[in-house]
Amino acid sequence: MRKIVAGKLHGIHVTEANLDYHGSITLDPDHCEEAGFLPMEFVEIWNKNSGARISTYVIPGERGSRCCILNGAAARTCQPGDPLIICNSVYVEEAELTALKPRVLTFDRDNRVTGRLTYSVERNADGGYSFSVLDEAGAALPVPALVGGSKRTGLAG
């Protein structure tokens, strides 16, 4: 079994840091459902400003609130306004990898969804793998890679 990305909230902003609550991250159920996050599911959180990386569990907040509240000890790792990447994962057999299509939401500063992406892994003719980031229409987007010594930019990662 391999641990694989299942969904991601990319660039969601912290709306509150609540040190006095007993742990977790509170998220808008609309965002959770669209990205495939479950209540009480453990997620990895990466702060794009500080580089802090933590793990905690999701609790649903008020639907439609666009909230992203770090609670308890997690509140020490983020400040309101910090952009985060929040990722959940699943364990799959390697043979199941190409069937998995993780959903990725991107956000503006007010936590409105600005993009809906899908990650896709396919088998190559030589037996290796290829990775694509697809937009809502299914068109491939650039993926960071070394190409002729220069780095292209994209949203994957």
Side-chain angles (χ1 to χ4, degrees):
M1 300 293 282
R2 304 282 182 102
K3 186 176 180 181
I4 305 294
V5 172
K8 190 163 74 168
L9 305 178
H10 190 104
I12 193 166
H13 291 79
V14 176
T15 57
E16 186 179 336
N18 184 349
L19 187 61
D20 295 324
Y21 191 72
H22 48 84
S24 69
I25 184 168
T26 305
L27 295 169
D28 185 324
D30 291 337
H31 295 157
C32 291
E33 290 164 8
E34 192 168 351
F37 291 16
L38 297 173
M40 301 299 294
E41 181 174 17
F42 270 87
V43 293
E44 301 295 322
I45 301 168
W46 307 308
N47 185 319
K48 291 176 71 174
N49 280 353
S50 70
R53 292 174 169 253
I54 62 168
S55 175
T56 192
Y57 59 96
V58 173
I59 60 173
E62 181 181 338
R63 187 172 296 279
S65 67
R66 300 189 313 268
C67 68
C68 177
I69 304 168
L70 279 293
N71 301 304
R76 294 236 185 249
T77 68
C78 303
Q79 298 297 312
D82 283 353
L84 305 179
I85 299 169
I86 305 171
C87 180
N88 67 347
S89 57
V90 294
Y91 286 92
V92 299
E93 296 286 346
E94 186 174 350
E96 302 170 56
L97 179 59
T98 58
L100 190 64
K101 303 298 180 205
R103 293 168 285 180
V104 179
L105 304 181
T106 61
F107 296 88
D108 67 11
R109 289 203 50 81
D110 295 318
N111 289 344
R112 290 185 186 89
V113 176
T114 59
R116 291 169 173 85
L117 309 173
T118 303
Y119 288 168
S120 180
V121 175
E122 302 297 330
R123 277 282 192 189
N124 295 330
D126 64 5
Y129 291 106
S130 64
F131 173 77
S132 300
V133 178
L134 308 175
D135 67 13
E136 292 180 70
L141 299 172
V143 175
L146 292 178
V147 179
S150 66
K151 188 169 183 171
R152 295 185 307 154
T153 59
L155 196 69

